[in-house]
């Protein structure tokens, strides 16, 4: 099969499309013919070597954490899914990749919503996993106000919609060019940067209950001051979290609230309550360009790679 692959740490120039052996579904897994896969910051963090002190990458490595496609192998013990089903989901956690290829193995998945294209579904699972984990960690419940710093990105847009489905009010930071975009998602937009607390005051007179840092731009101290308690702030992007007493949320092996959220999110999508905004779609041969756009940190929605 064809797959995006790299043989050493480096910039996007180390990525190439090569012919490699196909993977096969093991117990509790399915294999899909991939139609689309999302690009996440974890992909280029791993590729650059930024995470080499905490994550071991075996070379050559295929990036891609989530994907959508058609099931063509079903592993032992799998029920409720058959060859020919359209699904979206996540690769095995310990593999740390493998989805940017013509075939990929998934260990967590759900039926693709009828309302989503394969491009939308291909970039959904990782963000749903992150968003669901964050909302569970924050104890997000009806009537609360959630502040998302970096609300226009892939995780921010999904978290906002899942939070609204739970009955929360969502305020999101973004550049002014993205305010209309957030407003269409039902998010109250506010400009990011210094002085955020003052700008929030008229938007949330009772105050903000919980906050998510999805940007990793050094806002943790300000977010803690805004909500009044570091335990009510979660980050998915700032590795300096411990210094502020803030929880850093990341994917983990095994069962997790995030992975359990995939079928719930699919149901919301089919009821018209969850969309996957796409910033850009690239063909497999342009995976390097997709990584470069993701690394700018200015994507409005999800970046996706389509697979032939």
């Amino acid at each position: 099969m064809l797959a995006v692959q790299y043989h050493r740490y480096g910039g996007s120039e180390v990525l190439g499309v090569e012919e490699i052996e196909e993977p096969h579904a093991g117990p509790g897994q399915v294999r899909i013919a991939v139609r689309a896969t999302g690009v996440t910051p974890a992909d280029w963090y791993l590729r650059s070597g930024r995470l080499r002190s905490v994550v071991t990458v075996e070379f050559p490595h295929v990036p891609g954490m989530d994907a959508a496609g058609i099931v063509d192998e079903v592993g032992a013990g799998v029920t409720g899914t058959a060859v020919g089903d359209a699904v979206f989901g996540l690769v095995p956690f310990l593999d740390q990749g493998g989805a940017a290829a013509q075939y990929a193995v998934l260990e967590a998945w759900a039926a693709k919503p009828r309302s989503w294209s394969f491009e939308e579904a291909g970039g959904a699972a990782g963000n749903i996993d992150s968003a669901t984990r964050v909302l569970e960690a924050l104890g997000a419940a009806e009537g609360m106000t959630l502040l998302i710093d970096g609300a226009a990105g892939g995780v921010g847009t999904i978290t906002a919609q899942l939070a609204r489905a739970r009955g929360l009010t969502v305020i999101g930071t973004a550049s002014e060019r993205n305010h209309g975009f957030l407003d269409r998602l039902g998010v109250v937009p506010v400009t990011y940067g210094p002085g955020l607390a003052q700008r929030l005051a008229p938007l949330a007179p009772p105050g903000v209950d919980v906050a998510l840092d999805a940007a990793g731009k050094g806002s943790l101290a300000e977010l803690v001051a805004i909500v009044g308690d570091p335990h009510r702030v979660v980050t998915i992007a700032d590795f300096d979290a411990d210094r502020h007493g803030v929880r850093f949320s990341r994917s983990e092996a095994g069962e997790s609230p995030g992975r359990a959220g995939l079928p719930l999110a699919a149901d919301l999508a089919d009821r018209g309550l969850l969309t996957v905004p796409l910033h850009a779609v690239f063909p497999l041969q342009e995976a390097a360009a997709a990584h470069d756009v993701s690394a700018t940190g200015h994507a409005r929605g999800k970046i996706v790679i389509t697979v032939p």
Side-chain angles (χ1 to χ4, degrees):
M1 69 172 184
L2 294 176
V4 176
Q5 195 166 241
Y6 56 96
H7 296 258
R8 59 182 174 84
Y9 292 123
S12 63
E13 74 279 354
V14 303
L15 295 172
V17 176
E18 302 172 1
E19 188 169 330
I20 67 172
E21 291 297 317
E22 300 175 6
H24 294 282
Q29 300 175 335
V30 299
R31 188 179 84 161
I32 62 171
V34 178
R35 296 289 185 83
T37 178
V39 177
T40 71
D43 291 322
W44 46 270
Y45 282 178
L46 288 169
R47 187 211 69 225
S48 69
R50 181 174 176 178
L51 300 180
R52 71 178 76 188
S53 63
V54 293
V55 178
T56 300
V57 172
E58 293 188 8
F59 298 120
H61 184 73
V62 177
M65 304 290 189
D66 55 5
I70 304 296
V71 175
D72 79 334
E73 284 185 5
V74 176
V78 172
T79 59
T81 301
V83 170
D85 288 350
V87 301
F88 73 107
L90 298 158
V91 301
F93 173 80
L94 294 179
D95 290 352
Q96 296 294 313
Q102 289 183 305
Y103 296 95
V105 170
L106 304 181
E107 71 172 7
W109 65 90
K112 184 184 81 68
R114 295 181 299 276
S115 57
W116 287 355
S117 66
F118 275 106
E119 289 81 4
E120 291 166 320
N127 290 344
I128 291 168
D129 174 60
S130 296
T132 305
R133 278 198 332 268
V134 165
L135 293 174
E136 290 296 315
L138 290 172
E142 185 175 0
M144 286 184 171
T145 295
L146 166 68
L147 171 64
I148 301 175
D149 192 25
V155 174
T157 56
I158 296 296
T159 305
Q161 293 175 84
L162 293 182
R164 281 179 44 77
R166 294 186 181 208
L168 281 76
T169 297
V170 181
I171 302 173
T173 72
S175 60
E176 290 189 9
R177 67 183 178 87
N178 286 325
H179 283 195
F181 168 69
L182 291 183
D183 186 64
R184 290 190 292 274
L185 292 176
V187 177
V188 179
V190 62
T191 305
Y192 60 81
L196 177 59
Q198 289 71 34
R199 294 191 295 277
L200 284 172
L203 302 177
V208 172
D209 299 295
V210 289
L212 163 64
D213 166 34
K217 302 295 185 182
S219 65
L220 291 183
E222 189 168 25
L223 295 180
V224 169
I226 287 168
V227 302
D229 182 348
H231 294 99
R232 290 194 279 137
V233 178
V234 169
T235 181
I236 61 165
D238 194 329
F239 295 105
D240 205 23
D242 285 347
R243 189 165 68 86
H244 298 277
V246 169
R247 287 167 290 179
F248 188 102
S249 179
R250 69 188 75 188
S251 294
E252 297 180 359
E255 297 294 324
S256 75
R259 295 183 175 217
L262 296 180
L264 298 177
D267 178 66
L268 288 174
D270 276 333
R271 291 193 280 135
L273 299 175
L274 182 64
T275 63
V276 184
L278 297 179
H279 177 81
V281 178
F282 294 86
L284 193 70
Q285 295 287 348
E286 297 179 18
H291 276 226
D292 287 340
V293 173
S294 177
T296 67
H298 297 301
R300 186 168 77 179
K302 190 69 181 182
I303 297 165
V304 171
I305 293 171
T306 55
V307 181

